[in-house]
Amino acid sequence: MQFTDLEHIDIEILKYIAKHQPISKSIVLKNFPEEKYSTEYRINTLMNGYISEEKETKDSSGRRIIVVNRPLGIYTLNKDGNRFFQDLKKLNL
């Protein structure tokens, strides 16, 4: 995903996540309602380049170790997202 692929609302969601990270999906949806912005779709798209979702990892005791990567619905900017956000600040966007 490149900057030119982003709509204005995508940038606003990224800025909001950057300001409040780590942030839950429910809070993002509260501020950017699904019905108005298709926010879940936008979040999924942004996960292909700008944000990461935290996951819970568990190790079970006993003979076998089971690792569970359960999505927590909590988002942060990844390295590319942080770089992009810094570029936005330089451009005063």
Side-chain angles (χ1 to χ4, degrees):
M1 175 179 286
Q2 299 193 0
F3 174 74
T4 56
D5 297 333
L6 297 177
E7 300 291 332
H8 176 74
I9 191 62
D10 298 321
I11 293 170
E12 291 303 312
I13 291 170
L14 274 175
K15 287 165 56 174
Y16 189 81
I17 291 171
K19 183 176 180 181
H20 301 285
Q21 66 182 329
I23 187 168
S24 71
K25 180 189 274 187
S26 61
I27 294 174
V28 176
L29 288 169
K30 189 176 191 179
N31 288 277
F32 298 92
E34 175 68 20
E35 317 72 59
K36 187 172 181 180
Y37 299 111
S38 301
T39 310
E40 290 204 35
Y41 173 79
R42 293 177 187 284
I43 287 172
N44 288 332
T45 301
L46 292 169
M47 286 178 59
N48 292 327
Y50 298 103
I51 62 174
S52 297
E53 182 175 15
E54 293 183 9
K55 296 186 180 196
E56 176 183 32
T57 303
K58 282 187 180 178
D59 293 333
S60 296
S61 59
R63 294 182 194 195
R64 295 186 306 160
I65 296 176
I66 301 171
V67 178
V68 179
N69 287 320
R70 184 175 62 120
L72 297 175
I74 298 173
Y75 301 99
T76 57
L77 295 184
N78 61 25
K79 290 179 186 178
D80 290 335
N82 280 319
R83 178 196 49 80
F84 179 76
F85 185 67
Q86 292 303 318
D87 291 347
L88 285 177
K89 287 191 340 188
K90 287 179 191 173
L91 297 171
N92 293 318
L93 295 177

